[in-house]
Amino acid sequence: MFVIYVSLNYQQLPITTREQLVFSKEELTRANELLSGEKSILENMILSTCNRTEVYAVVDQIHTGRYYIKRFLANWFHVSIDQITKWAEIGFKQDAVAHLMRVTTGLESLIVGEPQILGQVKDAFFTARDLGTTGVILNHLAKDAITFAKKQHTTYRVSELAKTSGQTGLHQIKTGLQDLSDKHVVIAGLGDVGSHVLKNASTMGFGEITILNRTNEKAVQLADHYGTTVRAADWDKLAVAANAADAVILATSAKTPVLNGHTFASGDTNLKMVVDLGVPRNVHSEDLPVEITYFDIDHLTAIISENQRAKADMIDQMAAQVPAAVDAFDVWEQQLHVVPVIKEIRESAMDVAKTAYDSLLRKLPELDAHQRKVISKHMKSIINQMILGPIKEVKELSLQDDTDVDLAFVCQIFGLPTDLAKQERTYEK
């Protein structure tokens, strides 16, 4: 059995081709079922997003599995097998495992490190699993990939690194003010930049957001759209609103400053932070009181550049974890055929424990329920401790040469059928 993937992705194909090779959410059920019926395909799941359409499968032979996956894709999308061969990226064994790990973690995404793909892989897996087109191997591989990706995104929070000046400004405000639930932010200027800032700010948990625009109707419309947390104010109230706020974000296209430092007299203002996204700048920053933290475009650009360096370093660290995850899956796969041996060792030992326990109860009928429970618990503990070593050795043997001979000897020692170790080598679809 071999794990294989066939990928039609943005790295090989322009969107004009890629958009013709997409499975809709409604089509995935039928597609997985049809693929499962193809010769050589033992397990399968299909992932389809705006940037990639991929088949992951367990096949009995690489060359036949590869052919029938390509034929399935060609038939579904009404193209030739030669075209699929030309477009597709194909890998198998460890390369297929590594590819799914990298895809699920976002390392193969157009925006490297983005977490959205993790949810899409989960959906693809759950769809296939619920249909029954996955089995022991793909179930384990998909769960490993999902767990691996979650760990990487928890350890390396790549998605939290701001990529635009507006996002960076909001991040600086959040860092400076900490708890935003009782904080008031003012956003002045609702063009493309200001509207995008408002969209992001509306999801951050601010207690109050005041928006102002030279065209007041636009501010009123946006306030109505975002609900009770957001309110509009007249443009001529900008200075009053700014003094009452904890932070101000300015994104106007004005040729001259719309506020100056004298607007904020020390001790008479609540303002703590100003983010100036305007070029020319919207504030005369030289006169700002020292207790107000000020960021202009150059400050924010420097932070973005540092974020990019930090992101590149995080991506490298995430990628460096993939080989170990692949090795762990490889070890698990190699040990699959010893599962029946381990199961029989455990069941045989538990049968011995049950026989001894039943004999003890016959000889000591006066034991109450609590005493019986304590004895049963300790007997199981003793058995588990006794078979822990042998089970560990059986797992180690599965990775060595002459595995079948060694495992047959173990089975003989424990009085088990000597062909147990060969049972998982066969696969019924």
Side-chain angles (χ1 to χ4, degrees):
M1 294 177 293
F2 306 92
V3 180
I4 186 172
Y5 80 94
V6 177
S7 175
L8 305 164
N9 60 64
Y10 75 94
Q11 294 171 323
Q12 276 76 38
L13 302 173
I15 191 169
T16 51
T17 303
R18 214 163 61 243
E19 64 189 1
Q20 302 174 46
L21 306 172
V22 177
F23 293 94
S24 69
K25 185 176 181 181
E26 293 72 26
E27 291 174 327
L28 281 177
T29 296
R30 181 61 179 154
N32 272 302
E33 290 174 340
L34 286 176
L35 179 57
S36 181
E38 293 282 356
K39 183 178 179 181
S40 197
I41 308 300
L42 304 176
E43 303 181 30
N44 60 269
M45 74 174 191
I46 300 171
L47 170 68
S48 192
T49 74
C50 57
N51 287 323
R52 64 183 63 251
T53 290
E54 298 187 333
V55 169
Y56 294 89
V58 176
V59 299
D60 55 9
Q61 297 291 333
I62 290 175
H63 63 284
T64 54
R66 180 170 49 201
Y67 170 78
Y68 283 104
I69 292 172
K70 290 193 295 183
R71 191 185 75 166
F72 161 75
L73 291 170
N75 289 340
W76 184 278
F77 294 119
H78 307 293
V79 297
S80 69
I81 293 182
D82 287 343
Q83 284 176 299
I84 295 294
T85 301
K86 177 182 177 182
W87 293 335
E89 173 188 326
I90 301 175
F92 47 85
K93 297 182 178 179
Q94 285 89 346
D95 288 342
V97 175
H99 184 75
L100 182 57
M101 296 286 182
R102 290 182 59 87
V103 166
T104 309
T105 312
L107 294 172
E108 296 295 328
S109 295
L110 185 60
I111 301 175
V112 182
E114 58 87 15
Q116 182 182 5
I117 187 66
L118 171 57
Q120 293 168 324
V121 171
K122 288 171 66 176
D123 289 343
F125 168 55
F126 294 153
T127 296
R129 183 198 63 186
D130 293 346
L131 284 170
T133 64
T134 60
V136 173
I137 294 176
L138 276 188
N139 285 345
H140 192 90
L141 175 55
K143 289 175 183 176
D144 271 6
I146 291 166
T147 300
F148 176 76
K150 286 181 178 177
K151 181 178 179 181
Q152 298 308 307
H153 286 300
T154 299
T155 304
Y156 307 104
R157 298 185 177 277
V158 176
S159 61
E160 293 184 5
L161 295 174
K163 295 176 282 291
T164 67
S165 55
Q167 290 174 332
T168 305
L170 283 169
H171 182 74
Q172 296 307 308
I173 290 172
K174 182 178 180 181
T175 301
L177 300 182
Q178 299 296 316
D179 180 14
L180 301 180
S181 62
D182 61 345
K183 300 302 188 298
H184 177 194
V185 64
V186 166
I187 301 172
L190 298 171
D192 290 342
V193 174
S195 295
H196 194 264
V197 169
L198 172 59
K199 182 179 179 180
N200 287 330
S202 68
T203 66
M204 292 175 61
F206 283 100
E208 183 180 355
I209 300 174
T210 299
I211 57 176
L212 305 94
N213 195 62
R214 288 190 185 277
T215 306
N216 192 53
E217 290 80 1
K218 184 172 186 179
V220 171
Q221 290 173 357
L222 285 171
D224 289 341
H225 173 75
Y226 283 102
T228 56
T229 303
V230 180
R231 68 177 185 86
D234 292 339
W235 182 256
D236 60 8
K237 302 296 183 183
L238 175 57
V240 174
N243 271 303
D246 296 283
V248 173
I249 302 175
L250 299 153
T252 81
S253 57
K255 298 298 183 181
T256 57
V258 296
L259 291 175
N260 60 64
H262 298 298
T263 306
F264 312 107
S266 294
D268 294 329
T269 183
N270 192 50
L271 190 64
K272 301 174 184 67
M273 304 186 74
V274 173
V275 173
D276 189 347
L277 302 176
V279 179
R281 287 178 294 177
N282 290 168
V283 179
H284 271 308
S285 60
E286 293 80 3
D287 299 323
L288 282 173
V290 294
E291 60 266 26
I292 295 178
T293 304
Y294 175 79
F295 296 92
D296 63 19
I297 282 292
D298 285 353
H299 297 133
L300 300 174
T301 300
I303 294 170
I304 293 171
S305 296
E306 181 56 36
N307 283 350
Q308 293 305 308
R309 287 190 289 271
K311 178 179 179 179
D313 183 56
M314 288 182 182
I315 292 298
D316 288 344
Q317 293 181 64
M318 291 168 70
Q321 308 301 314
V322 173
V326 174
D327 288 344
F329 179 81
D330 189 45
V331 168
W332 171 85
E333 194 172 22
Q334 289 182 60
Q335 293 177 338
L336 256 184
H337 65 286
V338 303
V339 171
V341 176
I342 293 172
K343 181 180 178 182
E344 285 295 327
I345 290 175
R346 180 173 284 111
E347 289 182 354
S348 178
M350 289 303 176
D351 285 344
V352 171
K354 185 177 185 305
T355 300
Y357 177 71
D358 291 343
S359 175
L360 182 64
L361 293 188
R362 286 194 297 270
K363 294 175 182 178
L364 300 172
E366 68 275 12
L367 294 174
D368 62 29
H370 174 70
Q371 291 169 329
R372 294 183 182 197
K373 184 176 181 180
V374 170
I375 291 172
S376 175
K377 179 179 178 181
H378 280 276
M379 289 184 73
K380 289 179 181 178
S381 177
I382 291 169
I383 290 297
N384 285 331
Q385 291 299 316
M386 289 183 66
I387 64 176
L388 184 63
I391 287 176
K392 181 179 179 182
E393 289 302 317
V394 167
K395 289 182 177 180
E396 292 295 328
L397 287 175
S398 69
L399 304 177
Q400 299 177 11
D401 296 333
D402 299 323
T403 298
D404 290 345
V405 175
D406 293 333
L407 290 176
F409 180 62
V410 170
C411 290
Q412 188 176 359
I413 290 175
F414 282 91
L416 307 176
T418 56
D419 62 348
L420 270 178
K422 299 179 182 180
Q423 290 184 15
E424 285 293 322
R425 294 183 185 278
T426 60
Y427 193 107
E428 292 186 7
K429 190 170 179 180

